Amino acid sequence: MPYALFSNDAKLSKAYPTAADVWKIAQKSGLVVDVVSEQGSARPRPVLDHDYEIKPCQLEPYEDPARNKADAERDAQTELQLAS
């Protein structure tokens, strides 16, 4: 089942093969923040900023989650090369 980033039930991202893929995109976009748990754990944990959620989604016509993932990875690689 594909996953996407949502805010108030509105789909904000393309569909990706796994929730982990969407986490990577959200983190790269600056939508992930680290918070300290209520139990006082020394390790902060990543959470989505604001009311964003990652959840299963329906595919748009002609949408391919594997292609979306490959495109995102290629774009990230290009950005790394340009930054060097």
Side-chain angles (χ1 to χ4, degrees), residues 2 7 10 13 22-23 25 42 62 68 80:
S7 177
S13 73
V22 183
W23 271 102
I25 298 298
Y62 307 107
N68 292 341
L80 285 175

Side-chain angles (χ1 to χ4, degrees), residues 44-58:
R45 63 182 176 86
V47 297
L48 291 168
D49 203 6
H50 303 291
D51 292 325
Y52 296 121
E53 296 179 89
I54 295 172
K55 56 187 181 179
C57 67
Q58 296 294 319

Side-chain angles (χ1 to χ4, degrees), residues 15-80:
Y16 293 90
T18 68
D21 296 323
V22 183
W23 271 102
K24 288 178 190 175
I25 298 298
Q27 187 164 23
K28 186 174 178 344
S29 300
L31 302 176
V32 178
V33 296
D34 289 331
V35 297
V36 178
S37 73
E38 296 80 29
Q39 289 84 18
S41 172
R43 281 184 74 177
R45 63 182 176 86
V47 297
L48 291 168
D49 203 6
H50 303 291
D51 292 325
Y52 296 121
E53 296 179 89
I54 295 172
K55 56 187 181 179
C57 67
Q58 296 294 319
L59 291 176
E60 300 295 325
Y62 307 107
E63 188 173 25
D64 181 357
R67 184 181 53 207
N68 292 341
K69 179 181 177 183
D71 290 347
E73 290 171 348
R74 185 183 64 247
D75 291 346
Q77 189 67 289
T78 302
E79 289 176 12
L80 285 175

